[in-house]
Amino acid sequence: MTPSMHERFKQWITESGLIAGYKLQMYQWRQLTADKGTQRYAVIQPNGGTPVRNDLGSEFYILLMIVAGQNDVEQPALDAQAIINFTQANPFDDCLGYIENMDATPTPVFTEENRMVLRLQFRIVYGE
């Protein structure tokens, strides 16, 4: 399977337009040097799955972290809900297979700089 599922997810979420205005990063959130606390980030992390076997479907788990700007909670929370709603309305995709949100809206976590972080987890079922 090429590219990896988290790279496919990156393409899917980017093409959806749902993270426009967010700085998209892979694996780890890294605050940009020029960021004065207002930049929003979306971070994609692979999060395990089931064994990948030839000619059988497999599950891939992906985390999407929505990192808000400082003291910025309403719009990122609405954006997270929009991503969940989009996934529910469009569970089948030619590139991903089947995708669903696994945990609805998660409990927000706040950084020392008062940035809200929402961790959305997705389950992707794919088989060729």
Side-chain angles (χ1 to χ4, degrees):
M1 178 185 69
T2 306
S4 64
M5 190 54 73
H6 55 279
E7 288 291 338
R8 292 179 187 208
F9 180 86
K10 176 183 175 183
Q11 178 182 346
W12 176 82
I13 195 74
T14 301
E15 290 176 358
S16 75
L18 294 166
I19 57 169
Y22 287 78
K23 174 66 178 163
L24 181 59
Q25 298 177 331
M26 299 297 288
Y27 306 109
Q28 178 184 12
W29 170 45
R30 296 168 306 282
Q31 184 168 323
L32 301 174
T33 306
D35 180 7
K36 302 299 184 203
T38 59
Q39 178 66 53
R40 296 174 182 155
Y41 299 86
V43 183
I44 297 170
Q45 298 175 318
N47 196 34
T50 61
V52 178
R53 296 191 172 98
N54 291 336
D55 301 322
L56 292 175
S58 299
E59 294 184 11
F60 300 84
Y61 306 139
I62 305 288
L63 281 176
L64 176 65
M65 291 190 333
I66 301 295
V67 182
Q70 292 175 339
N71 304 308
D72 174 28
V73 295
E74 282 80 15
Q75 189 58 51
L78 291 172
D79 294 342
Q81 188 60 52
I83 292 167
I84 293 168
N85 293 345
F86 180 82
T87 304
Q88 289 173 336
N90 303 282
F92 295 99
D93 180 81
D94 291 341
C95 186
L96 295 178
Y98 174 80
I99 182 170
E100 65 183 0
N101 175 261
M102 290 179 61
D103 54 4
T105 304
T107 302
V109 176
F110 289 85
T111 67
E112 289 182 14
E113 298 83 20
N114 204 32
R115 287 179 180 265
M116 179 179 67
V117 179
L118 294 170
R119 292 169 44 110
L120 305 177
Q121 182 161 298
F122 298 90
R123 172 182 170 249
I124 298 170
V125 180
Y126 183 83
E128 292 183 342

